[in-house]
Amino acid sequence: MLKKRKAILLALLLVLPALLIRGFTTVQPIFMTFYNSLFDLSLFKGGTGEFIGLQNYKDIFTDDKFITSTDFTVIFTVVSMIFHIVLGVGLALMLNMKFKGKKFLRVTVLIPWAMPMVVAGQAARWAFNDMYGLVNDLIRRVNPGFHFDWLIHNDSARLAVIAVDLWKDVPFFAILVLAALQFIPGDIYESAKIDGAGKVRAFFSITVPNISKTVITISIFFTMWRLTSFDVVYAMTSGGPGDSTTLLSYRIMIEAFTNLNLGYASAIGVVLFVVMLLFSGVNLFVIKRINARDGL
């Protein structure tokens, strides 16, 4: 018994440095964010650093820029995830087919995902330019008189940001789905074919049930990543035109480092933290239900 206690104590001492470092780099910043959100830390407006309670949180819900950022964050997340699922599953099914060059295609399809988002965003900024952009150049091959600057109009700029996000991350989503597809035994499809099931029936009766767990799980994680996206907007549109493409994470950066309103930025950070906490709870609940359904 004494040896067991000594072993446990030794184990705790060995992991204590890692726990302290983790606590300092994770718990302490979270605590300070909550703490700062309760104070007037607006340096440009002569913030006194006095305690103002929930005033920063009250200001959030009367701030048009915050509302605009929230609207686009919701649109960006929902639309992006719908197409992630549709295009990702479709691409995974294509990569799962038997054809020459399949391995080469699987490697090359990941190139967009491997590219840093800042690089992809900057390249997209040029690609959507009216005068020398790749997008308009391709359209002019069909319609020579076409002129449109995608990034100076609210709706088209939002569409462009979502399109770049899909181009960047759908391949990775597809590769994860592909891994699930390869665990489905081919004998099941052969049996279904003998029973007279067509490709559509086999897809909905065999493929979808077998990949649903994977798709749901990775969709939750991808949704959380969309909610905290920052780099695509930073590199591509800088939140413009106006604030139409500003995401919540980018709004936090603007308030903290451009407007130097640290208290208000912390309050927005806390709101986003609570949203992510709720999604984490949903994630754990869904995974638990799926495991219970599968008897795990």
Side-chain angles (χ1 to χ4, degrees), residues 7 9 19 21-22 40 58 71 92 110 131 148 151 154-155 179 184 193 198 206-207 215-216 241 245 255-256 262 267:
L9 180 60
L19 291 176
I21 293 173
R22 187 63 176 173
D40 178 12
K58 293 178 181 177
D71 287 343
L110 275 176
M131 300 302 296
F148 188 75
L151 301 184
N154 292 354
D155 293 338
I184 304 176
K193 187 176 181 180
I206 299 174
T207 306
V215 171
I216 291 172
T245 60
E255 293 294 341
L262 303 182

Side-chain angles (χ1 to χ4, degrees), residues 15-26:
V15 301
L16 184 60
L19 291 176
L20 291 174
I21 293 173
R22 187 63 176 173
F24 180 76
T25 57
T26 303

Side-chain angles (χ1 to χ4, degrees), residues 76 117 121 161 164-165 229-238 247:
F76 175 80
M117 181 57 92
V161 169
V164 172
D165 178 70
S229 291
F230 165 83
D231 39 10
V232 60
V233 170
Y234 174 79
M236 187 174 173
T237 64
S238 299
L247 297 168

Side-chain angles (χ1 to χ4, degrees), residues 8-36:
I8 293 174
L9 180 60
L10 177 61
L12 290 174
L13 289 174
L14 291 174
V15 301
L16 184 60
L19 291 176
L20 291 174
I21 293 173
R22 187 63 176 173
F24 180 76
T25 57
T26 303
V27 178
Q28 193 267 350
I30 293 175
F31 171 78
M32 289 305 300
T33 300
F34 277 88
Y35 181 80
N36 289 337

Side-chain angles (χ1 to χ4, degrees), residues 253-271:
M253 191 277 290
I254 291 296
E255 293 294 341
F257 300 108
T258 301
N259 299 339
L260 296 181
N261 195 347
L262 303 182
Y264 186 62
S266 297
I268 300 176
V270 169
V271 171

Side-chain angles (χ1 to χ4, degrees), residues 233-252:
V233 170
Y234 174 79
M236 187 174 173
T237 64
S238 299
D243 294 298
S244 60
T245 60
T246 301
L247 297 168
L248 279 177
S249 56
Y250 188 73
R251 171 55 53 198
I252 294 172

Side-chain angles (χ1 to χ4, degrees), residues 19-135:
L19 291 176
L20 291 174
I21 293 173
R22 187 63 176 173
F24 180 76
T25 57
T26 303
V27 178
Q28 193 267 350
I30 293 175
F31 171 78
M32 289 305 300
T33 300
F34 277 88
Y35 181 80
N36 289 337
S37 69
L38 303 176
F39 290 84
D40 178 12
L41 299 174
S42 177
L43 303 185
F44 274 163
K45 297 180 180 178
T48 59
E50 65 177 322
F51 178 80
I52 57 174
L54 300 178
Q55 185 58 48
N56 284 322
Y57 294 96
K58 293 178 181 177
D59 293 340
I60 283 177
F61 299 102
T62 58
D63 182 4
D64 291 337
K65 292 184 177 181
F66 173 82
I67 295 172
T68 301
S69 301
T70 303
D71 287 343
F72 181 58
T73 301
V74 172
I75 293 170
F76 175 80
T77 302
V78 173
V79 175
S80 180
M81 284 314 305
I82 289 174
F83 281 97
H84 264 83
I85 295 171
V86 174
L87 298 177
V89 172
L91 180 58
L93 291 171
M94 185 182 72
L95 294 175
N96 198 43
M97 295 178 180
K98 295 180 180 179
F99 57 90
K100 290 184 179 180
K102 179 175 63 176
K103 293 182 179 180
F104 175 75
L105 182 60
R106 288 179 180 177
V107 173
T108 55
V109 80
L110 275 176
I111 292 176
W113 174 75
M115 185 182 299
M117 181 57 92
V118 172
V119 176
Q122 190 63 51
R125 191 170 197 161
W126 298 333
F128 282 98
N129 184 274
D130 180 36
M131 300 302 296
Y132 51 79
L134 173 65
V135 175

